[in-house]
Amino acid sequence: MKLELVLGLEIHIQLKLKSKMFCRCSADIYQSEPNTLTCPVCLGLPGALPVPNREAIKSTQLLGAALNCKLSGFSKFDRKNYFYPDLPKGYQISQYDLPLCVDGHLDLFSKRVGITRVHLEEDTGKSIHENGLTLLDFNKSGLALVEVVTEPDFRTSTEAVELSKLIQRIVRYLQISDADMEKGQLRLEANVSLRKQGSEKLPTYKVEIKNINSFRFLEKAIKYEVTRQSKLFETGLMPEQENRGWDDIKSVTLSQREKEEAHDYRYFPEPDIPPMEFSSKYLKEIKARVPELPDKKVERFVRIYGIGVDTARVLCESLELSEKFEKASKETDPKRLANLLVNKTDLRNLDVDNLLKRIKVKEDLLDESALKVIVKDVINLKENVKAIKDYKSGKEQSIMFLLGAVMKKANGKADPLLVKEILRKEINES
Ligand code: ZN
Ligand code: MN
């Protein structure tokens, strides 16, 4: 029996915001000592009242719009009940049946991947296992977290990895998250199952691989699962519905035997936060804020400016750099500008005016052969005979006089070091 992969992704993205999702604690967790950024709300103390972060909602809707989703006019938060030491309330505020964004898609190569939903929730704290103890840091507790859920449209691990990278590029472009995987700002989960090739039906089970923190691990974990599940099918067994984790040291996925398949999260509407309504005018404004996305922009740069795909990719790594390039390219040769920006990273930090100045200066300088002509002229002038004699007799200083004469003739459009070099050579040969 030939089997094919049926794979969907859940992608968690930490939003880049000043404060947390439901309280005013700082979200700048990387500069702070453990448990210093907490309050009754994000510690889940009884009676504390959550107040949603408006910017977090906007960022989520902006991402939803960029992923071609429908933005809901009516949405609400729900409680997802489960116990875990780093979740002090005993529930996570998330979204259940009325997420902020639904029903989108992204084009990957020539394939369209469905985006089921984009919703907003809060992050949990962090458990640190050390010397047989578990330490808890609640600084991360309550950070705004977006979850993107895709349709099970992937048939290869490569597709899943490429889509994850695309989402990373998009959230960086929208400037709503740094999406640094090492910092846990982008976390991946893969739902992996197999079915008979050609079958249209979804498999009756899925294996959820939790908390993957690198694209490489995602690829490895999926490949491992495909092999593991195929072997089960070969022996006539059906893989179990379960959660597994990727163990990079052993290069295997391991069953997380907390039997989470029995999980009943008992979702119910969050009673402390009223449902949200958004006017069509507001949603239109959000949609209008979606910039041209990086992949489209790369295509356009290649087409319009005649630069290579790799060069265009570098320029489109950030919105800022790509916009700088486009503005500056109106005043100078785009191909040359693109190459300079790719190869000389220090130029990227200049604003457009200074960037053009730096480039123009270099552009307008006379080349070596043009300078040689001027240098020869200067050497042959009667008025310079003395200076040349002086130089030849060892008066190094007199070259400055000749340099001045050349620079004057060149209207300042010469590299002095190059001029000196040519002068020395020409005088010695004269
Ligand atoms: Zn707080
Ligand atoms: Mn989630």
Side-chain angles (χ1 to χ4, degrees):
M1 181 169 64
K2 268 217 150 197
L3 296 166
E4 80 175 348
L5 175 64
V6 179
L7 174 86
L9 289 173
E10 288 168 30
I11 305 175
H12 283 96
I13 302 143
Q14 243 175 40
L15 293 177
K16 185 163 80 178
L17 294 165
K18 285 207 175 70
S19 57
K20 293 188 181 182
M21 184 59 228
F22 297 112
C23 61
R24 298 174 74 171
C25 288
S26 166
D28 187 16
I29 60 169
Y30 301 104
Q31 311 297 330
S32 310
E33 291 292 303
N35 295 309
T36 53
L37 304 176
T38 60
C39 75
V41 173
C42 56
L43 284 175
L45 301 186
L49 285 175
V51 178
N53 183 329
R54 193 185 296 270
E55 288 306 311
I57 294 168
K58 271 192 195 163
S59 298
T60 307
Q61 289 167 321
L62 185 65
L63 177 58
L67 304 184
N68 304 295
C69 291
K70 293 187 188 109
L71 305 186
S72 312
F74 185 82
S75 183
K76 67 175 170 65
F77 286 103
D78 300 274
R79 287 189 183 181
K80 181 180 181 180
N81 298 281
Y82 64 98
F83 174 77
Y84 207 73
D86 58 23
L87 185 69
K89 291 201 291 279
Y91 60 85
Q92 178 192 32
I93 304 179
S94 180
Q95 297 198 278
Y96 184 48
D97 53 341
L98 291 170
L100 285 165
C101 322
V102 292
D103 211 3
H105 62 83
L106 262 185
D107 290 329
L108 185 72
F109 313 128
S110 53
K111 176 177 184 140
R112 179 155 286 191
V113 174
I115 305 290
T116 315
R117 56 189 280 154
V118 179
H119 74 249
L120 185 55
E121 57 191 33
E122 56 179 340
D123 210 340
T124 60
K126 187 174 173 186
S127 305
I128 303 152
H129 306 288
E130 230 174 58
N131 306 325
L133 292 172
T134 295
L135 305 170
L136 291 166
D137 177 5
F138 290 105
N139 282 354
K140 191 167 80 75
S141 171
L143 288 184
L145 198 62
V146 169
E147 182 172 336
V148 176
V149 182
T150 79
E151 290 292 299
D153 286 343
F154 305 100
R155 297 291 166 267
T156 66
S157 57
T158 308
E159 289 172 359
V161 170
E162 287 308 314
L163 186 103
S164 306
K165 287 183 179 169
L166 180 55
I167 298 256
Q168 185 186 45
R169 286 200 292 277
I170 290 174
V171 297
R172 285 178 175 171
Y173 227 65
L174 298 174
Q175 296 173 311
I176 60 172
S177 173
D178 291 333
D180 182 339
M181 296 194 82
E182 275 176 32
K183 290 184 177 163
Q185 293 164 344
L186 178 73
R187 286 142 27 202
L188 306 165
E189 283 167 31
N191 293 312
V192 183
S193 35
L194 300 178
R195 71 179 170 200
K196 213 167 112 183
Q197 195 153 43
S199 164
E200 297 282 300
K201 276 192 239 155
L202 282 182
T204 52
Y205 75 97
K206 65 182 179 191
V207 174
E208 193 170 339
I209 314 169
K210 293 281 202 185
N211 278 325
I212 304 168
N213 60 6
S214 90
F215 297 125
R216 203 167 50 87
F217 292 171
L218 176 64
E219 173 119 45
K220 282 179 161 181
I222 294 168
K223 286 189 169 153
Y224 179 85
E225 265 310 296
V226 169
T227 310
R228 188 186 71 85
Q229 292 179 26
S230 300
K231 277 184 189 153
L232 287 171
F233 274 109
E234 272 165 30
T235 55
L237 292 167
M238 188 73 160
E240 255 180 85
Q241 168 114 1
E242 62 179 345
N243 287 346
R244 298 177 76 90
W246 174 248
D247 181 331
D248 193 53
I249 293 160
K250 296 186 188 137
S251 271
V252 295
T253 63
L254 294 173
S255 182
Q256 295 176 334
R257 279 284 167 206
E258 299 121 52
K259 278 291 158 198
E260 284 182 57
E261 87 279 3
H263 241 143
D264 175 5
Y265 291 118
R266 293 174 294 118
Y267 279 101
F268 64 84
E270 166 60 56
D272 290 333
I273 304 173
M276 300 167 279
E277 276 186 78
F278 305 100
S279 69
S280 51
K281 181 170 169 274
Y282 165 86
L283 294 177
K284 230 183 232 169
E285 279 165 15
I286 296 270
K287 283 180 201 153
R289 275 179 49 208
V290 177
E292 182 184 27
L293 295 178
D295 286 27
K296 286 257 159 64
K297 194 174 267 188
V298 167
E299 267 176 49
R300 185 168 62 81
F301 277 13
V302 169
R303 205 175 58 236
I304 290 187
Y305 300 110
I307 57 179
V309 178
D310 291 332
T311 303
R313 284 229 172 96
V314 175
L315 296 177
C316 294
E317 262 166 25
S318 84
L319 185 62
E320 206 194 339
L321 181 61
S322 67
E323 286 181 343
K324 208 176 271 183
F325 165 74
E326 282 216 284
K327 268 191 203 135
S329 69
K330 293 197 177 92
E331 311 282 327
T332 183
D333 173 32
K335 274 192 194 172
R336 185 167 164 273
L337 173 65
N339 283 331
L340 283 170
L341 284 171
V342 167
N343 294 316
K344 300 204 170 13
T345 42
D346 58 312
L347 290 178
R348 296 182 200 172
N349 301 324
L350 300 172
D351 60 29
V352 174
D353 285 346
N354 282 314
L355 175 63
L356 282 170
K357 255 184 226 159
R358 277 274 290 276
I359 285 177
K360 276 268 156 78
V361 169
K362 283 187 184 157
E363 204 166 60
D364 293 347
L365 291 186
L366 295 171
D367 65 10
E368 196 170 338
S369 60
L371 285 176
K372 240 182 206 168
V373 173
I374 298 179
V375 165
K376 277 185 177 158
D377 277 356
V378 166
I379 290 176
N380 290 330
L381 278 177
K382 244 189 190 151
E383 60 196 71
N384 295 329
V385 170
K386 188 178 178 299
I388 291 167
K389 224 173 142 189
D390 286 350
Y391 174 75
K392 279 187 165 170
S393 67
K395 275 192 190 161
E396 180 67 27
Q397 270 303 330
S398 36
I399 199 133
M400 295 310 287
F401 175 79
L402 297 164
L403 173 64
V406 174
M407 292 302 283
K408 200 173 165 192
K409 259 191 170 280
N411 288 323
K413 289 179 180 174
D415 175 359
L417 288 177
L418 183 59
V419 173
K420 256 196 216 171
E421 196 183 299
I422 298 172
L423 266 171
R424 288 209 170 94
K425 222 172 124 203
E426 292 296 321
I427 293 173
N428 286 336
E429 282 171 12
S430 71

